[in-house]
Amino acid sequence: MIINASTIIVTVIFVSAIGFGGLQLIRQFALQIAVENFEANQAMDEKEEKSRKKKIALADAAASSAFQKVEPLIQKNGAGTGSRPNTPPAGIEMGSSTSTSPTSAGVAPSSAEVKEEEKLKLLSSDIV
C-alpha cells in the first residue's frame, strides 16, 4: 500500500461521504420518531380536551338543573328574579333534567326533554 497525498485525500473524501450518509440516515430516523411522538401527543391532548369538554358540559347541565329547581323558591321568597344568564352549554339544549321531568307530575315529557335526558345519560356514561 502506497501512502501519499492522493491516497490520503481520496480516503478523507471517502470517509467523509460515508459519515455524511450515515448522519443523514440517523437524522431521518430521529425525525420519524419525533413526528410519531408529536402525533401521539396530539391525539392524547385531543382525547383529554374532549373529556374535559364533556365534563364541563355535564357540570353546566347539572348547574342549570339545580338552578331550575331553586329558581321557583327564589321567586316565591321575593329574593329576586334570578340573575343567572339563560345560556345553555355547547351541545345541550335548555330544559328540565331527569329529576325535574314532568313525568313525575303526570305530564308526558316533550321530545326536547327526552333528548336532553338521553344526552345527559350519554355524557355521564362516557365520563365514567
Side-chain angles (χ1 to χ4, degrees):
M1 172 188 242
I2 301 173
I3 300 177
N4 58 19
S6 62
T7 5
I8 293 175
I9 292 173
V10 169
T11 304
V12 167
I13 291 172
F14 183 69
V15 169
S16 298
I18 290 176
F20 180 76
L23 288 175
Q24 290 299 319
L25 285 174
I26 292 171
R27 181 180 165 268
Q28 288 177 355
F29 182 67
L31 179 64
Q32 180 182 1
I33 290 173
V35 167
E36 289 174 0
N37 189 27
F38 175 75
E39 290 172 352
N41 286 340
Q42 202 171 23
M44 285 183 353
D45 289 345
E46 287 174 8
K47 182 180 177 183
E48 290 173 359
E49 182 71 15
K50 184 178 177 183
S51 173
R52 185 184 69 81
K53 284 183 179 182
K54 282 184 181 180
K55 287 180 182 179
I56 289 172
L58 186 59
D60 286 345
S64 294
S65 172
F67 185 73
Q68 287 175 357
K69 289 178 186 177
V70 173
E71 188 174 21
L73 297 174
I74 294 173
Q75 290 175 354
K76 283 183 184 177
N77 293 334
T81 59
S83 60
R84 183 172 178 181
N86 200 7
T87 56
I92 296 182
E93 300 170 323
M94 287 296 291
S96 62
S97 71
T98 307
S99 61
T100 60
S101 67
T103 55
S104 61
V107 179
S110 68
S111 62
E113 292 169 341
V114 172
K115 287 180 183 177
E116 181 186 356
E117 290 177 7
E118 291 173 1
K119 285 181 184 179
L120 288 174
K121 288 177 186 176
L122 287 173
L123 283 173
S124 63
S125 66
D126 287 345
I127 292 174
V128 177

